[in-house]
Amino acid sequence: MFFRMVKGTLIRQWKKMILIAFTIGLGASLATAMLSVVLDVGDKVNKELKTFGANITVMPKRQSVVSELYDVSGGKSNGAYLKEDELGKIKTIFWAFNIVDYTPFVKSNAKLTDGSDVKVIGSWFNHHMDLPTGEQLDAGIASLRSWWEITDGKWIDEQVNADENACMIGNNLAKKLGVKSGDKVKVKGLQEERELNIVGVFSSGGDEDDNIFTGLKAAQALDGLEGKIDTIEVSALTTPDNELAVKAAKDPQSLTVAQYEIWYCTAYVSSICYQIQEVITDSVAAPVRQVADSEGAILDKTKLLMLLITILSLIGSALGICNLVTASVMERSGEIGLMKAIGAHNSAITGLVLTEIIITAIIGGVVGFGCGIGFAQIIGKSVFGSLITLRPMVIPIVAVLVVIVTLIGSIPAIRMLLKLEPEEVLHGR
């Protein structure tokens, strides 16, 4: 009898039940879309932010100490260098897959033919590496400095052009010398003189516009620094810092064994720096705080915005359900009064109404969940250029939220139902 009554109500009030299902489905779809994006947005936002450069700098330990004491960061290495043959080790750390790009730099103070000083910086452009792990990696400043504008010529393609004297020249220096792509420029270092072939002219909007960038071998040869590098810039996907990460960054030895394991196995920028130091001899890896902190702040604000949208959509759904269920109870007041008059208890009538609403909510929730997955993919494609990965935990979370919102929205109607007196309803009062 109970289920016959439920079925009868669903059939008689099908229009109102469709509206309730639609309201619930709308809230469920927004909740599904937003939660799916929130749970997957971390890596995607990080990847977008990687286009703004490295978030970790690796330098020799001696250079780091001198820089901190005398504020000479960005200058020469004071005789301290890293080993070029250890570069591949960066992709052997625990968080190797979070290292999306890195490139070494070596600086040589050279002179032009007119006697003026110029800084020649050796680096990778799109360097191909076969790593000890069996992986292959293409890294370099072509991706790490993606905001550079090539005003003339093109990027150096190391995999096509094997010319170790190929170079790119900053826009300011190119104007000063009156050169362009296809021209040559002579530079003289401490050890030898080289004629570099200009492949492209770039504009960085910074001090780099006054420099010459060439391959590692050419820059090393100018000052006799074969096999040596000054710094390494690393772009890594990281997790925003918390209290544990801040504590570990100050002193990893202060952590308990359990804390150390959690920190080491979480992609905090400090733990990735620590692991890089473990594989690069006599090095200090430090986060570029402006970049690392901005990544965490932007990610937190993005997640907060999406959670607020989810909460507001659920509140709207609850209000809509409240109005629709209340209207339904008012229409059925005669039926409810009759059930009470023949002995039905409030608990039985409440269970009947809730069963009808929850069945409707399940239907609306399932349809809304499917639509929400579609909305999430649209957001992923339009904003991040890739699909959103559906996390299994979204399913129970959305199911619980649908039930909670439905019950909360039904509270006013249930209170009205409990207050209905059979004699007043049946006698038209």
Side-chain angles (χ1 to χ4, degrees), residues 168-190:
M168 297 185 70
I169 186 169
N171 192 53
N172 292 345
L173 183 59
K175 289 179 179 178
K176 175 183 174 182
L177 300 179
V179 295
K180 61 183 184 302
S181 63
D183 293 342
K184 299 180 183 293
V185 58
K186 286 186 177 181
V187 292
K188 184 177 182 181
L190 295 176

